[in-house]
Amino acid sequence: MSNIFNTLYRQAPAALLGAGLAIAMLPGASLAAGGGGSDDAATTPTCPKGKVYEKKSKKCVDKTTSNVPDEDRTEYAYTLAKAGRYQEALDMLDTLKDPNTKEALNYRGYATRKLGRTDEGISWYKKSVALDPKYAKVREYLGEAYVIKGQIDLAKEQLTTIKSICGTSCEEYRDLHEAIEKPSKI
């Protein structure tokens, strides 16, 4: 009898891992980013240039289509930026009816920073922070911009702020902490 329990005990971690992987692969399963950021960028499909992904129809439509809401356009701009299509991301953000949301300003900062325009990116990040000082994702990206500029003290201030927002286990804290420790990873 004890052999059965020993066998089950040894196999349980592998069975749990397998079950977790199976659940993660189910349709509709996704992981959300902490701090109000959208990491749907990892799961949103990219479309050909001049198109935008419309969540409602689940297909690519012409970016000039007026029935695609700003939220979809903003999220899609982030998807483009995460795919390295920074100028297209900025072009998509230019189609927003309301370009002054914390997310749109943050993603504009991200795309401009990734294009090498770090100071411009910082200015967009600061506008996002002004709208929502507790938006952890913008604090992470602002901190990374400071790391790029060699302003580690300012990056650490952002890290402290993120810690007060979501603790040390949230993705934003971990990512900025790693950027401060290993700037070459940015």
Side-chain angles (χ1 to χ4, degrees):
M1 188 75 150
S2 94
N3 284 344
I4 293 171
F5 287 115
N6 286 337
T7 301
L8 288 173
Y9 182 75
R10 285 192 308 269
Q11 293 177 353
L16 290 173
L17 175 62
L21 289 172
I23 290 169
M25 296 180 77
L26 288 172
S30 66
L31 301 173
S38 172
D39 245 3
D40 288 341
T43 58
T44 301
T46 56
C47 301
K49 189 172 184 171
K51 303 279 187 180
V52 60
Y53 183 76
E54 182 184 39
K55 280 182 165 182
K56 186 177 176 183
S57 67
K58 295 186 181 340
K59 60 183 176 181
C60 297
V61 298
D62 191 271
K63 79 175 187 180
T64 60
T65 303
S66 63
N67 62 344
V68 179
D70 272 7
E71 184 178 317
D72 286 7
R73 291 174 184 278
T74 302
E75 187 176 300
Y76 187 64
Y78 189 51
T79 297
L80 289 170
K82 290 301 250 182
R85 294 166 61 181
Y86 309 119
Q87 188 56 55
E88 287 179 68
L90 293 173
D91 294 343
M92 182 58 57
L93 291 169
D94 288 342
T95 70
L96 299 177
K97 292 176 185 138
D98 181 9
N100 294 311
T101 65
K102 68 181 183 182
E103 294 88 355
L105 294 167
N106 182 30
Y107 302 156
R108 185 173 292 281
Y110 180 84
T112 55
R113 172 172 63 99
K114 290 294 192 172
L115 285 169
R117 302 182 337 233
T118 306
D119 289 329
E120 181 183 348
I122 288 171
S123 71
W124 291 115
Y125 294 143
K126 286 181 175 181
K127 290 177 183 182
S128 179
V129 167
L131 290 178
D132 185 356
K134 293 187 179 203
Y135 180 28
K137 181 60 79 182
V138 74
R139 296 290 187 160
E140 173 196 340
Y141 289 158
L142 178 57
E144 289 176 359
Y146 287 141
V147 170
I148 290 167
K149 291 187 62 73
Q151 298 173 318
I152 304 303
D153 55 329
L154 295 177
K156 287 181 178 179
E157 284 178 21
Q158 295 307 311
L159 191 65
T160 300
T161 301
I162 293 170
K163 182 178 178 181
S164 74
I165 295 168
C166 59
T168 59
S169 62
C170 65
E171 179 183 2
E172 293 82 2
Y173 183 91
R174 290 189 318 263
D175 288 352
L176 181 54
H177 184 268
E178 182 178 1
I180 291 169
E181 294 296 314
K182 301 174 188 168
S184 62
K185 294 249 182 191
I186 299 177

